Structure formats: C-alpha cells, structure tokens
Amino acid sequence: MKNVVILGGGYGGLKVATGLINKNLPEDIQITLIDKNPYHSLKTEFYSIAAGTSADRDVRVDYPEAACMTYVYGEVNKIDTANEKIYFKGKSTVVSYDYLIIGLGCEDNYHGIPGAEEYTESVQSFSKARHAGMSVGNLNAYGKVTVVGAGLSGVEVASEIRESRKDLNIRLLDRGGSVLRGFDPIIQAHVADWMLKNDVEVLHHANVEYVEKDGVCNNGVCYVNDVTIWTAGVKPHHLAVALPYEKNKFDQLVVNEFFQIPAQPNIYAIGDCASSDYSPSAQLAGIQGEQVADVLCAILQNKEPKVPKEIKLRGTLGSLGKNDGFGNMFQQPLTGLVPRWVKTGVLWLSKR
C-alpha cells in the first residue's frame, strides 16, 4: 500500500485530492488529507467572517468522500522528511507517506514590527477570522477600527466592515501612494472613490512603527482605536520554511516543472509554499493542484508524466461590499456590479 499524503486542505490540496479520486488509480493507493479543520474553508471569503456579514457555514465546504480517501484532523508540528513521517501537536498520531504534497498556505508577515502579532486581528485562518469578527461585532457604537494594509485583503475587509456597521470609524493604512498598488489605475481610482464616498479614511505612505493594545503608531502619530486588523503581507507557512530544501528570496520552496522538490522528487509543493512566476492566490494554488494530480496519477500508474501546461490565470476579483466590486478579467479592468456578480458566481461554483 502506497500512501499519498496531502498537507493542507486549502484550494491546492483539495484540487489534488479531487483530481486523484477521479482517476483510475491502482487499488493499493491510499490518499490521506491532513488539515486542522474537518472541512475546506473558502479563504477568499474570510473578510466577510471578519465583518460579520457571512455565517461560518457560508464559507466552508465538506471534503469529498471516497473509498481511497482518509482524513486526519490536527495541527502538524513536524515534517520529518528523513523518515517520511508527519507528527502532530498534542497527539500521538504519526502519519507515514510515500508521496507528500505540501499545501500549507501562508501566515501573516509582521515584518518585525513590535506589537503587531500580539495586538492585531488576522484573516489568515478560519479561527482568526472568527476572532476578528467577534472583536468587530462586539464594538460599541462609533468604535474605531484600523486596517493595516491596502492590498486586496485590506480593501475587502475595510469595505465589508463599512457595509456591516455604518456607525464605525474605519481607517485604512496604505503603505503606498494608492490603494491596490498592483492593480490597474482605473481600479485604483474606483476603489479610492468608494472609500471616500463611504467614509473610510485612507492614509497613504503609511509606516507603522509599533502597535499597542489600543492603538497604532504611524509616521510618528499614534491613533487610538479599538480593533486593529493586519493585512500587510504574508509569508509561507513556517513548517515549509523549516524544511531543509532550497528556497527563493520569498522563502518559498524551489520546485521543478512537475512541482517536485528537486532533491526529493516524492515531495511536491504548491500554492503559497512553492516558488512561482505568479503572486500567490487561491486561483494559482487550485491550478497547481490540478496539475500535480495529473503528474502523480501518471507516476502512480508507472507512466512518464507530461510536463504541465503553462499556467494562465483568468484574472483577479475583489468586492466592495455586496453591490460593488472590481477586477482584472482577460487583462481588462472592470468595476461596479459586473465583477461583483462574477465573484459571487465563482463562489457559488467553488461550493459545488
């Protein structure tokens, strides 16, 4: 019996699992998916959990059932690549693998800023998004919320909180000179206009020096606030970073054209943990997962795997509440209801 172990049930890991169980694999293949949660969570929608506009059940999906599938739920604390074993925090369970897919995702990058990890909320995991949602939801009237980081996550969090709570004072700290620095200027202007019209204060050229329990110090000015939400960058999961393999300047594992670790080709890396020409995203992880499933299927059937096709992303979508949005689709910038409807459609499909 050969055991294919998938570390992480996110977008990439789930695509590997569904891809493999839909193939005609040999009977001696067992697939084990390991995750903290007994469900797949739709991370692109965590901003709505933080804002209190969606219920937990709205942003999670049950894992597929199949005779060849086994699930182990728990927090991994060690990947022993020398002995090909996975160990868990607080559990005696040990999982051995013949093939390993690392799809652990990312963590907040606090950039060494004092107090940032201790005193800010996060949307990088389901439990943390829930905690952020409780903190925002429990605010008294006219409470103060600061969102640090004006990329996609920061914009969606700030706009969704505004739609959820008209009374709150919301401040968005933007390190650059415009929100959504990597997007088309048409999109940047649309989002900036939305923030202005909806009374979300945006401070550009932010430089957060430290964070306290009840405030943020930015460019020498300390702003008192009740809740601080951190969306100012991510880094690969610490377990992936700790592995003894080559990494790029972003601490992502360097992989070959088959997403294998060159020094140990029975180990694959996808998503935020793997080097790529593209920025990390759910869409990228999903495509990589599909391709790894094809590669592994060939190997498990003792065939020569085909080099995966060049990845072509379909674009990026973002929301400004429930009735406005933006996106780069087919290399064209779109704003307003259309990209918001498309985003809703993508969510509907991903649940099915």
Side-chain angles (χ1 to χ4, degrees):
M1 182 72 71
K2 293 182 179 179
N3 197 17
V4 177
V5 173
I6 303 169
L7 267 186
Y11 294 95
L14 183 61
K15 286 293 186 179
V16 175
T18 55
L20 288 176
I21 64 178
N22 287 325
K23 306 288 187 182
N24 187 26
L25 294 177
E27 293 184 357
D28 65 341
I29 301 299
Q30 179 68 38
I31 305 167
T32 302
L33 190 148
I34 299 173
D35 197 90
K36 291 189 297 184
N37 299 315
Y39 46 77
H40 167 67
S41 51
L42 302 170
K43 188 175 181 181
T44 58
E45 306 303 308
F46 281 0
Y47 66 89
S48 63
I49 296 296
T53 56
S54 292
D56 287 5
R57 191 66 184 93
D58 294 334
V59 295
R60 67 176 193 248
V61 179
D62 295 333
Y63 285 126
E65 295 183 4
C68 61
M69 284 294 305
T70 299
Y71 295 93
V72 178
Y73 304 122
E75 184 176 351
V76 175
N77 69 352
K78 183 180 179 182
I79 304 171
D80 183 354
T81 55
N83 298 296
E84 300 185 330
K85 296 182 185 297
I86 307 296
Y87 295 88
F88 296 82
K89 183 178 180 180
K91 295 176 65 174
S92 59
T93 303
V94 179
V95 176
S96 299
Y97 65 84
D98 296 286
Y99 298 91
L100 178 66
I101 297 92
I102 300 171
L104 290 167
C106 62
E107 304 171 331
D108 285 295
N109 188 348
Y110 296 103
H111 308 287
I113 296 174
E117 184 172 2
E118 295 84 354
Y119 299 121
T120 65
E121 302 289 346
S122 169
V123 293
Q124 287 305 319
S125 71
F126 210 151
S127 60
K128 289 181 178 180
R130 281 197 197 102
H131 193 278
M134 291 179 60
S135 298
V136 172
N138 288 334
L139 286 175
N140 294 327
Y142 310 112
K144 297 179 176 65
V145 179
T146 294
V147 179
V148 181
L152 180 59
S153 293
V155 164
E156 290 191 312
V157 167
S159 60
E160 196 78 4
I161 292 175
R162 166 53 73 226
E163 184 160 287
S164 175
R165 291 281 301 269
K166 300 296 184 185
D167 63 293
L168 296 179
N169 296 284
I170 304 172
R171 178 180 294 116
L172 182 61
L173 299 185
D174 174 24
R175 188 174 183 180
S178 173
V179 295
L180 298 174
R181 183 170 48 182
F183 282 71
D184 189 279
I186 292 175
I187 292 174
Q188 294 176 355
H190 179 78
V191 173
D193 185 60
W194 191 98
M195 296 294 175
L196 181 63
K197 289 179 178 177
N198 288 275
D199 197 27
V200 175
E201 182 184 10
V202 180
L203 297 180
H204 299 295
H205 305 293
N207 179 30
V208 175
E209 294 156 299
Y210 59 89
V211 182
E212 295 181 331
K213 184 178 180 181
D214 56 0
V216 176
C217 187
N218 173 56
N219 283 324
V221 179
C222 293
Y223 299 96
V224 176
N225 63 281
D226 302 296
V227 175
T228 304
I229 301 177
W230 192 267
T231 64
V234 295
K235 59 184 179 181
H237 194 281
H238 66 275
L239 288 175
V241 175
L243 293 175
Y245 304 121
E246 182 185 359
K247 302 171 192 73
N248 65 11
K249 63 179 181 180
F250 303 111
D251 267 345
Q252 296 167 317
L253 292 163
V254 173
V255 295
N256 62 19
E257 65 269 32
F258 297 107
F259 304 101
Q260 298 166 322
I261 303 296
Q264 202 154 351
N266 67 321
I267 299 179
Y268 299 73
I270 55 177
D272 300 340
C273 296
S275 59
S276 174
D277 293 333
Y278 298 98
S279 298
S281 68
Q283 182 184 166
L284 176 64
I287 295 173
Q288 291 174 335
E290 292 173 350
Q291 294 184 338
V292 165
D294 290 338
V295 170
L296 257 176
C297 181
I299 291 174
L300 294 171
Q301 293 175 338
N302 295 315
K303 298 177 182 178
E304 189 72 24
K306 296 180 180 179
V307 176
K309 294 180 180 179
E310 180 183 355
I311 291 176
K312 294 183 179 180
L313 301 180
R314 295 180 291 274
T316 303
L317 296 166
S319 71
L320 296 168
K322 293 292 185 289
N323 298 304
D324 203 339
F326 55 89
N328 286 317
M329 299 173 61
F330 307 107
Q331 300 182 333
Q332 294 295 321
L334 292 175
T335 60
L337 272 174
V338 171
R340 187 65 185 90
W341 287 341
V342 174
K343 190 174 192 292
T344 300
V346 171
L347 175 63
W348 183 87
L349 287 172
S350 66
K351 289 182 177 181
R352 286 152 181 81

